[in-house]
Amino acid sequence: TTYNKIEKINSELLTMTYGSLVVQLLKDFEDVNEVNKQLEKMGYSIGVRLIDEFMAKSGVTNFDKFEQTAEVIAKVGFKMFLGITAKVSKWNKDKTKYHLILAENPLIDFVELPKSFKGLYYSNVLCGIIRGCLEVIQFRVECA
């Protein structure tokens, strides 16, 4: 399968490295809103590059329909790069808006945020990655 073709890193290493990145951003910016922006921006930069690897290794190249693309992200993309799947739900009637639900999120293992960081979107990098990937394949989206 496509998932088996991807080199994998230890999930604990990913979690700890990402946690260190977030801590450093909090120290550098001292404002959770700015950290949220920076995480999304970093994710976007990752996403615009990651889509090429995704298409090359998955063989998926048809992204004509937004609804179908959402399912590919949830079932193939998340599995390929994070080892998890997501559930697509709560479509609006025009099929232009949906929710991706993660039953598990490897980025938050071992994480406890102090109350002083209320408002921090700890996994906001994922929103940026999704936005970056989708913009490359001609879908303009907002992700929150």
Side-chain angles (χ1 to χ4, degrees), residues 73-139:
I73 291 168
K75 304 292 186 260
V76 182
F78 274 95
K79 183 71 173 179
M80 184 182 283
F81 294 107
L82 288 176
I84 60 171
T85 56
K87 179 181 177 189
V88 179
S89 66
K90 297 185 182 180
W91 280 98
N92 67 356
K93 67 178 180 171
D94 298 327
K95 300 287 186 186
T96 59
K97 182 178 179 179
Y98 64 89
H99 292 203
L100 277 178
I101 310 297
L102 303 177
E104 43 184 318
N105 179 351
L107 295 180
I108 63 169
D109 290 343
F110 317 114
V111 175
E112 290 184 31
L113 292 175
K115 291 181 183 185
S116 61
F117 295 135
K118 185 178 181 187
L120 175 66
Y121 302 142
Y122 187 81
S123 298
N124 213 33
V125 71
L126 297 176
C127 288
I129 291 170
I130 292 168
R131 187 173 70 87
C133 287
L134 289 175
E135 283 193 12
V136 170
I137 57 172
Q138 306 304 310
F139 288 110

Side-chain angles (χ1 to χ4, degrees), residues 33-96:
N33 292 322
E34 185 59 33
V35 172
N36 290 336
K37 289 177 189 174
Q38 292 300 316
L39 289 170
E40 201 279 342
K41 186 177 174 181
M42 293 167 92
Y44 178 85
S45 294
I46 293 167
V48 297
R49 290 166 181 80
L50 198 63
I51 189 67
D52 290 331
E53 182 176 354
F54 174 80
M55 289 190 295
K57 292 186 177 176
S58 71
V60 177
T61 57
N62 183 6
F63 299 103
D64 295 336
K65 297 183 177 150
F66 190 55
E67 190 173 3
Q68 180 184 18
T69 301
E71 289 294 333
V72 170
I73 291 168
K75 304 292 186 260
V76 182
F78 274 95
K79 183 71 173 179
M80 184 182 283
F81 294 107
L82 288 176
I84 60 171
T85 56
K87 179 181 177 189
V88 179
S89 66
K90 297 185 182 180
W91 280 98
N92 67 356
K93 67 178 180 171
D94 298 327
K95 300 287 186 186
T96 59

